[in-house]
Amino acid sequence: MSSLEQLYQQVILDHSRMRHGSGPVEGVQSSSHQVNPTCGDEVTLGVSLAEDGHIDHLVWDGDGCSISQASLSILSDLTEGKSATEVSRLYAAMETMMHSRNQGVDDEVLDLLGDGAALEGTSQFANRVKCALLGWYALRDALAKLGTDIAGEGQ
């Protein structure tokens, strides 16, 4: 295993243990519960927006594999205080990376995703792609309920 693969594995393990943003999903404007029927991972993610549309509060509670838990922790770090436009770019970058089948993506995508780049290697396993994207789909759904489309065309 290369030193980069070891580093990425450690980032995933650290985030799955520390679980940034994890807590009771209470006092939020919108929430979404998502389940990955393939493996049983599940998450309830709640979000509140400030008047200017920035993410004011994001919290999640869930159970699952280290990939899903790490991805949720990374999502929490990446989206905190971000505008809908910024979150839309992050969402698109994550989808691009996770659908790359580990064939590589532009460095710009990896740079934008920060610690999320550690999940790139999981894109070669179709069943793990669902794990990594579960929280992102919950965020998309919760924001859509508030009238904010982060997956819309032209974003």
Side-chain angles (χ1 to χ4, degrees):
M1 178 181 301
S2 75
S3 60
L4 184 59
E5 289 171 327
Q6 288 175 348
L7 172 65
Y8 279 178
Q9 186 176 38
Q10 191 60 50
V11 168
I12 292 169
L13 291 173
D14 288 348
H15 271 284
S16 70
R17 290 179 187 135
M18 289 184 228
R19 298 173 50 134
H20 301 171
S22 177
V25 180
E26 301 170 345
V28 294
Q29 294 170 338
S30 179
S31 66
S32 176
H33 181 77
Q34 300 289 317
V35 176
N36 180 351
T38 305
C39 63
D41 292 353
E42 64 181 285
V43 64
T44 300
L45 182 143
V47 65
S48 294
L49 299 177
E51 286 186 30
D52 66 1
H54 284 73
I55 292 183
D56 184 48
H57 180 59
L58 184 141
V59 64
W60 61 273
D61 184 31
D63 291 306
C65 68
S66 61
I67 299 297
S68 71
Q69 301 302 283
S71 184
L72 280 154
S73 177
I74 292 165
L75 175 153
S76 180
D77 288 349
L78 288 174
T79 60
E80 183 179 345
K82 297 290 193 292
S83 70
T85 301
E86 292 169 309
V87 173
S88 181
R89 276 189 287 236
L90 290 164
Y91 179 84
M94 187 67 173
E95 279 221 310
T96 296
M97 182 182 74
M98 292 312 302
H99 293 293
S100 72
R101 299 201 182 267
N102 204 32
Q103 297 300 308
V105 294
D106 292 339
D107 286 343
E108 181 180 307
V109 169
L110 299 176
D111 290 343
L112 182 63
L113 292 174
D115 279 358
L119 297 166
E120 182 182 18
T122 63
S123 69
Q124 64 189 310
F125 306 106
N127 59 335
R128 291 297 182 199
V129 169
K130 291 178 182 180
C131 300
L133 290 175
L134 186 67
W136 290 89
Y137 291 159
L139 176 61
R140 179 187 69 198
D141 184 49
L143 288 173
K145 292 175 183 177
L146 294 173
T148 300
D149 180 9
I150 61 168
E153 298 208 21
Q155 293 288 332

